[in-house]
Amino acid sequence: MPNRRPDPAELLSRAEREEKRAGRGRLKVFFGAAPGVGKTYTMLGAAQRLARDGVDVVIGLVETHGRAETEGMLLGLDILPRRTVEYRGQDGQSTPVTLSEFDLDAALARKPEILVVDELAHTNSPGSRFDKRWQDIQELLKAGIGVYTTLNVQHIESLNDVVAQITGVQVRETVPDAVVEEADEIELVDLPPDVLLDRLKAGRVYVPESIEHAIGSFFRKGNLTALRELALRRTAEWVDGQMRQYKEGHGIRAVWPAAERILVAVSPSPASGKIVRAAKRMAAGLHAHLIAAYVETPRTAHLSPADRDRVVQTLRLAESLGAETASLSGPDAAAELVSLARSRNVSKIVVGKTGRSRFREALFGSFVSNLIRTSGDIDVYVIRGDSDERAPRPDGMGARLQWKRHRFSPMLYLGAIGVVLLGTLLGKFVLPRLELANIAMVYLAGVVVAAVWLGRGPSVVAAVLGVAAFDYFFVPPQLTFVIADAQYLLTFAVMLAVGLLIANLTTRLRDLADAARDRERRTSLLYAMSRELAAARDRREVATVAVQHVHDTFECDASLLLPGPLDAPASVEILSTAGSPDWLDDREKGVARWTFDHGKPAGLGTNALPAAAGRYQPLVASQGKVGVLAARPRNTASLLATSQLLLLDTFANQIALALERVSLIEGSQSARIEVESERMRSALLSSVSHDLRTPLATIAGAASTLQQSGAALDKSTQTELIDSIVHEAERLNDLIANLVFATRLESGGVDLHREWTTVEELVGAGLARHRDALAARPFKITIPADLPLVRVDNAMLPQVVHNLIDNALRYTPPGTPIGIAAWAADAQVVVKIEDEGPGLSQEEMSKVFQRFYRGRTAQTSQTRGGIGLGLTICEGIIKAHGGRIRAEANKPRGVAFYFTLPVERPQPVIPTEAQEVAQPAP
């Protein structure tokens, strides 16, 4: 089939993709099934070839794992130095380990044409700009730098569970599928399993002591074969996507059978389920992707309830078999199927045999014939589906006849007769001088009116009656059906044919407009619900949004139900409801429970428990069943329309996904809370075991010495021991006070007792316990006398000054200057506490206020410890007062802590000394 002009929507989509990629670097992934297949070696070979061609190639990071041949491929290439990171473990107490990491900032500053960065799925060390290396690479691509990288199939997010099932190894480092799909080029580096095992045994993959364990676990031959197939399939999927983008961009409609795809047509036929199963067997035999599609046409828009339910059940069956499903609408089912097949590069279409007679096919047309005629280079398979199912024909036919009788309205046909009568009156009395041809146009205009406003049947009646009235009243001899001139027979035939054609086309156009409005309505309803579901934060909020949309869309009473507690397995719980909840009695809840247990729709319009008052849709997500959606319509026929059932099914799928999403979020939050609690518990135990035990040991030792040898000790020794006991007791008291105060801040149990006070008083109270320590080093206070008063808790604020000064004393060498300054700015008071010690790194600046974080003490001679809560308490106190606290680098060296306190207006009036003397005593 020749190429056609690209669709405007496709051109716009392509332009948007190209605009998004404009200025971005190109990403090439060297993809393999397992470690050791040679990805890094192949990548470096490609880099060497580019360098020989004059391309600016730089090695950002390559892991050679001690392989001599890989290290040899680095010769002659520019290599960026790695940055070093000191890592102390989760608790921050372990001996620091020096790690080397990729230097993203250096790469951005160097900005080569091609940057080689190994191991796309790598997790960066704590303190890096991004947690994952693929995020580093995204940043490089945004800066216009091309990147070469490597990836194994087990690191792709969507394949993580599959790989774990095959190998029994859960891979923790993964890369989102979107990152791989957006790659500009993927090169598969492949080795047969036997060759890879030989490389492993020769020590060219892992160090010798790890070889036996690797061969017995991950590197079993069966595992490698399965991983190899996964890698080949994933690469083929990526290539297929590139091919489809090319076809869309160039307007190519012809099917390129590079990969097998099968499209099966779903219909209301009782054999439709068997046809879908047969198509699934065909797809499994060809290793092809299966798509199941239902096309709603104006002719099938009004099916019986049984047929509607059968369509929905067949689509659900296709989904359960792993097929992709699609619901389409249009005037021509064959044309819609072929259009979908060409857009998805489908090579085979499967349909069921028709049961129509030849006469009906000749009169109304044949779907199969139309499909074969328009399919072009797509193969069409017409199968019986070996169905043993037979729907009771009398009941099914009776349902159709009952449906049609329900739609029949005598008033519409009386309206058609009225249109013909009006045309006759116009031609006879209002326009008597018109030619017969013009009067015929009046009748044809009446046919158009009947088709637009009354429907197909009345318009056909209007066409036939119009021809008869034209003959009887206007064609000579008038008032008789006798025809004097035989040429009028041709006039009548053309008039009738044109009238019927106009009636049919106008009705079809109206049906298409109605279908377009319905599609737009369904799309807008689904978008509105999806948008609100995306913003929902918990299950109850999702349920409230869901049932409200179902209630408004389908005009029904709606409820969302969850399975009951474990001790009552037969019960359900109403999570949310819209409309009247009274109809959900024990009987209806039993139907809901059956729906949840079996995972199938039940109730109204289904074959399962059809006597129920409502319809029950199971909410099934990727992780399994999550609930049941119940709807009791006020108008049964409106809910049971095929389009409404499909929309309800789509609503149920979106609600299920939303419930699964919030459940996963709640689970991840619980996991994070548990991890954080465990980290805090470990840190607290570490502090108790070390920082609290140390002063206790000192106190106990000094006290026991005094008890046992007090009389034999000289006065100075006794005084020294007593001072040690007092000093360590004060230190122990500070540690316990910090723990208690931090706990109060975390629980929100701190009540502020605000009083007007001066900044000088707050600073003085905070310095009271450090006078001896500050007397031994340079210390400067700069606080203006005219600072405004602040309204704060006089018991808490001095603790901030005390902790900040204590922090400066602990982390700076003796003799290092310390200073305090304060000033007013923008309706607040700013207090600065600075030192000229070793300072903080940029990484530590963002961590100093974290609980249990303690900075490095290597550059200080202080031996005092701490549990890492002092600055956390400072932050909590300042925030409770509506202020802010931050740490910055001091100039020329050291660190400066700033905290602000709001200034309230109006300020209180402080009486002078003369006013106090003159004031009479009470």
Side-chain angles (χ1 to χ4, degrees):
M1 182 174 290
N3 298 355
R4 64 172 179 86
R5 294 181 59 191
D7 183 76
E10 295 175 358
L11 287 176
L12 179 60
S13 176
R14 183 184 179 193
E16 290 176 349
R17 288 197 303 267
E18 291 178 352
E19 181 180 359
K20 182 180 178 181
R21 300 188 66 86
R24 285 177 59 91
R26 292 179 60 82
L27 173 63
K28 181 173 181 177
V29 178
F30 292 83
F31 189 51
V37 296
K39 301 180 300 299
T40 304
Y41 187 88
T42 305
M43 177 177 65
L44 291 176
Q48 288 282 6
R49 289 191 295 271
L50 289 177
R52 286 195 295 269
D53 293 339
V55 179
D56 183 16
V57 180
V58 173
I59 303 298
L61 184 143
V62 167
E63 299 291 353
T64 63
H65 300 289
R67 301 166 190 158
E69 64 272 19
T70 305
E71 293 177 352
M73 295 297 292
L74 293 172
L75 298 176
L77 295 175
D78 290 344
I79 301 177
L80 283 180
R82 302 189 186 188
R83 65 182 181 89
T84 57
V85 179
E86 287 191 2
Y87 180 59
R88 291 177 173 268
Q90 294 289 340
D91 56 0
Q93 308 299 319
S94 306
T95 303
V97 178
T98 301
L99 305 175
S100 61
E101 281 288 354
F102 168 61
D103 195 337
L104 176 60
D105 294 326
L108 291 172
R110 174 66 170 77
K111 199 171 184 180
E113 294 182 60
I114 299 294
L115 185 71
V116 178
V117 184
D118 206 3
E119 297 184 357
L120 180 63
H122 175 75
T123 300
N124 293 331
S125 302
S128 301
R129 185 189 302 186
F130 298 107
D131 294 332
K132 300 289 186 178
R133 185 165 292 166
W134 63 263
Q135 295 173 311
D136 292 337
I137 291 179
Q138 294 278 36
E139 191 74 8
L140 294 168
L141 296 175
K142 290 179 184 177
I145 302 173
V147 177
Y148 279 11
T149 188
T150 60
L151 180 69
N152 287 327
V153 69
Q154 67 264 27
H155 295 296
I156 296 180
E157 180 66 42
S158 63
L159 299 178
N160 188 258
D161 294 339
V162 178
V163 172
Q165 183 178 355
I166 294 172
T167 64
V169 178
Q170 186 70 47
V171 179
R172 301 298 178 186
E173 294 180 326
T174 59
V175 175
D177 290 53
V179 175
V180 183
E181 291 166 0
E182 293 175 359
D184 298 278
E185 187 177 352
I186 292 181
E187 180 174 333
L188 179 65
V189 183
D190 184 43
L191 275 183
D194 291 333
V195 178
L196 180 56
L197 288 173
D198 291 340
R199 285 174 53 85
L200 180 65
K201 293 174 183 177
R204 300 170 65 186
V205 179
Y206 290 131
V207 293
E209 54 267 21
S210 302
I211 293 176
E212 291 300 326
H213 175 72
I215 293 177
S217 56
F218 188 87
F219 280 82
R220 291 195 296 266
K221 185 175 180 180
N223 293 351
L224 296 177
T225 303
L227 293 175
R228 189 185 186 198
E229 181 178 359
L230 283 177
L232 291 168
R233 285 184 177 275
R234 188 66 182 191
T235 307
E237 290 174 5
W238 180 86
V239 174
D240 184 72
Q242 295 291 307
M243 181 190 69
R244 287 169 55 190
Q245 286 185 12
Y246 177 84
K247 289 178 58 182
E248 291 175 3
H250 291 77
I252 300 174
R253 298 288 288 171
V255 175
W256 292 355
E260 294 287 355
R261 280 190 177 85
I262 297 177
L263 173 65
V264 58
V266 173
S267 72
S269 168
S272 187
K274 291 293 185 181
I275 294 170
V276 168
R277 292 187 182 95
K280 173 60 180 177
R281 291 194 294 272
M282 181 185 297
L286 296 173
H287 300 286
H289 181 65
L290 181 62
I291 305 172
Y294 169 71
V295 182
E296 184 181 62
T297 64
R299 185 175 298 176
T300 61
H302 308 292
L303 297 174
S304 67
D307 287 342
R308 287 194 302 269
D309 187 63
R310 194 176 295 115
V311 169
V312 175
Q313 292 299 326
T314 305
L315 290 175
R316 281 187 172 274
L317 171 65
E319 289 179 351
S320 67
L321 294 174
E324 178 186 349
T325 59
S327 298
L328 312 172
S329 60
D332 188 342
E336 293 295 328
L337 278 177
V338 172
S339 177
L340 175 64
R342 296 194 183 283
S343 66
R344 299 303 305 275
N345 202 42
V346 168
S347 56
K348 294 176 175 58
I349 299 178
V350 178
V351 296
K353 287 183 178 179
T354 179
R356 284 185 170 185
S357 64
R358 291 186 178 181
F359 173 76
R360 292 190 65 188
E361 288 187 356
L363 187 61
F364 298 105
S366 169
F367 164 73
V368 174
S369 299
N370 293 339
L371 182 63
I372 294 174
R373 185 173 58 253
T374 58
S375 60
D377 49 1
I378 303 175
D379 296 332
V380 178
Y381 291 78
V382 183
I383 62 176
R384 180 172 62 89
D386 61 346
S387 175
D388 295 328
E389 301 178 24
R390 292 291 183 270
R393 183 174 179 81
D395 293 346
M397 184 62 69
R400 288 182 175 84
L401 294 176
Q402 181 181 4
W403 187 254
K404 291 181 179 180
R405 283 197 299 270
H406 176 72
R407 287 178 51 80
F408 175 80
S409 176
M411 296 303 298
L412 297 178
Y413 290 89
L414 289 177
I417 295 173
V419 168
V420 175
L421 180 59
L422 180 60
T424 303
L425 293 176
L426 285 173
K428 198 71 177 175
F429 301 106
V430 180
L431 306 169
R433 298 178 180 273
L434 290 180
E435 296 290 337
L436 291 181
N438 293 327
I439 293 176
M441 294 299 103
V442 173
Y443 283 109
L444 291 179
V447 173
V448 174
V449 171
V452 172
W453 297 104
L454 304 178
R456 178 178 280 104
S459 63
V460 171
V461 170
V464 174
L465 291 181
V467 172
F470 179 70
D471 178 24
Y472 188 80
F473 290 104
F474 297 100
V475 175
Q478 298 179 357
L479 302 179
T480 178
F481 288 107
V482 177
I483 301 174
D485 192 346
Q487 67 178 348
Y488 282 108
L489 291 175
L490 179 61
T491 302
F492 296 154
V494 173
M495 183 176 174
L496 179 61
V498 172
L500 293 176
L501 182 61
I502 290 174
N504 185 58
L505 293 178
T506 305
T507 304
R508 177 176 293 186
L509 182 61
R510 186 187 65 174
D511 291 341
L512 289 177
D514 292 341
R517 281 194 294 270
D518 288 342
R519 285 198 302 271
E520 182 182 1
R521 172 180 169 272
R522 290 197 296 266
T523 302
S524 61
L525 291 172
L526 186 60
Y527 171 72
M529 187 187 73
S530 300
R531 182 178 56 188
E532 293 191 32
L533 288 177
R537 293 167 293 181
D538 53 43
R539 289 195 306 172
R540 192 163 297 278
E541 191 172 347
V542 167
T544 302
V545 170
V547 298
Q548 189 61 49
H549 276 276
V550 173
H551 171 269
D552 296 342
T553 301
F554 300 97
E555 297 182 355
C556 63
D557 299 323
S559 297
L560 198 151
L561 304 98
L562 299 178
L566 296 176
D567 55 354
S571 65
V572 291
E573 172 193 354
I574 301 176
L575 187 59
S576 184
T577 187
S580 174
D582 299 335
W583 65 281
L584 284 171
D585 53 19
D586 292 340
R587 178 170 174 246
E588 296 294 324
K589 289 181 179 179
V591 179
R593 185 70 206 197
W594 186 94
T595 300
F596 181 84
D597 292 338
H598 293 80
K600 298 179 180 179
L604 191 65
T606 69
N607 296 325
L609 308 173
R615 186 179 180 94
Y616 297 85
Q617 292 285 134
L619 303 178
V620 183
S622 60
Q623 302 292 332
K625 295 169 289 187
V626 294
V628 175
L629 178 64
R632 183 183 67 168
R634 298 166 190 170
N635 182 359
T636 303
S638 65
L639 179 63
L640 296 183
T642 306
S643 59
Q644 292 291 85
L645 287 179
L646 292 174
L647 182 60
L648 181 63
D649 190 59
T650 306
F651 269 38
N653 289 335
Q654 293 297 316
I655 295 167
L657 292 175
L659 285 173
E660 184 179 56
R661 175 182 60 82
V662 297
S663 297
L664 292 175
I665 292 175
E666 291 172 358
S668 63
Q669 288 177 343
S670 300
R672 282 198 300 269
I673 292 173
E674 185 176 348
V675 170
E676 181 66 16
S677 300
E678 183 63 30
R679 189 183 70 83
M680 289 182 60
R681 190 180 301 112
S682 299
L684 185 58
L685 289 174
S686 175
S687 298
V688 170
S689 63
H690 179 270
D691 296 297
L692 298 184
R693 189 165 53 186
T694 300
L696 282 175
T698 303
I699 293 172
S704 62
T705 301
L706 287 173
Q707 183 183 30
Q708 296 173 6
S709 307
L713 298 175
D714 56 46
K715 189 67 174 177
S716 61
T717 303
Q718 292 181 4
T719 303
E720 184 179 351
L721 290 174
I722 293 173
D723 289 343
S724 296
I725 292 174
V726 173
H727 177 75
E728 294 300 328
E730 290 178 351
R731 179 184 170 195
L732 183 61
N733 181 66
D734 285 346
L735 294 175
I736 295 175
N738 282 342
L739 282 172
V740 173
F741 202 82
T743 304
R744 290 175 60 196
L745 287 175
E746 287 290 327
S747 63
V750 177
D751 296 325
L752 299 180
H753 302 285
R754 295 177 181 266
E755 296 178 350
W756 291 100
T757 188
T758 62
V759 175
E760 293 93 331
E761 292 178 0
L762 296 175
V763 172
L767 296 177
R769 293 165 54 187
H770 298 293
R771 297 190 186 277
D772 294 339
L774 293 174
R777 63 173 67 201
F779 181 65
K780 181 180 180 181
I781 299 179
T782 306
I783 301 178
D786 58 349
L787 282 182
L789 300 178
V790 289
R791 189 165 171 267
V792 297
D793 190 313
N794 284 328
M796 287 189 187
L797 252 300
Q799 184 72 25
V800 176
V801 179
H802 166 75
N803 287 356
L804 292 175
I805 293 295
D806 184 67
N807 186 77
L809 292 171
R810 181 181 297 118
Y811 291 104
T812 58
T816 302
I818 296 177
I820 299 180
W823 63 89
D826 299 330
Q828 60 185 3
V829 171
V830 182
V831 179
K832 174 184 177 183
I833 298 178
E834 61 181 349
D835 62 61
E836 296 183 16
L840 294 172
S841 66
Q842 195 63 34
E843 176 187 349
E844 287 184 305
M845 289 287 187
S846 61
K847 293 183 177 181
V848 290
F849 296 105
Q850 294 179 5
R851 289 170 296 180
F852 303 114
Y853 179 80
R854 294 189 290 186
R856 303 182 180 90
T857 59
Q859 297 184 19
T860 174
S861 62
Q862 299 288 335
T863 59
R864 302 175 61 193
I867 58 176
L869 286 176
L871 296 182
T872 304
I873 291 173
C874 293
E875 184 182 42
I877 294 174
I878 294 300
K879 285 186 176 180
H881 284 81
R884 297 179 61 188
I885 186 170
R886 69 184 189 276
E888 291 183 1
N890 192 30
K891 294 182 180 180
R893 62 192 304 268
V895 64
F897 288 90
Y898 297 82
F899 68 86
T900 62
L901 295 172
V903 175
E904 299 183 13
R905 301 291 181 181
Q907 291 274 298
V909 178
I910 301 178
T912 63
E913 183 177 351
Q915 290 172 330
E916 291 177 352
V917 172
Q919 186 175 5

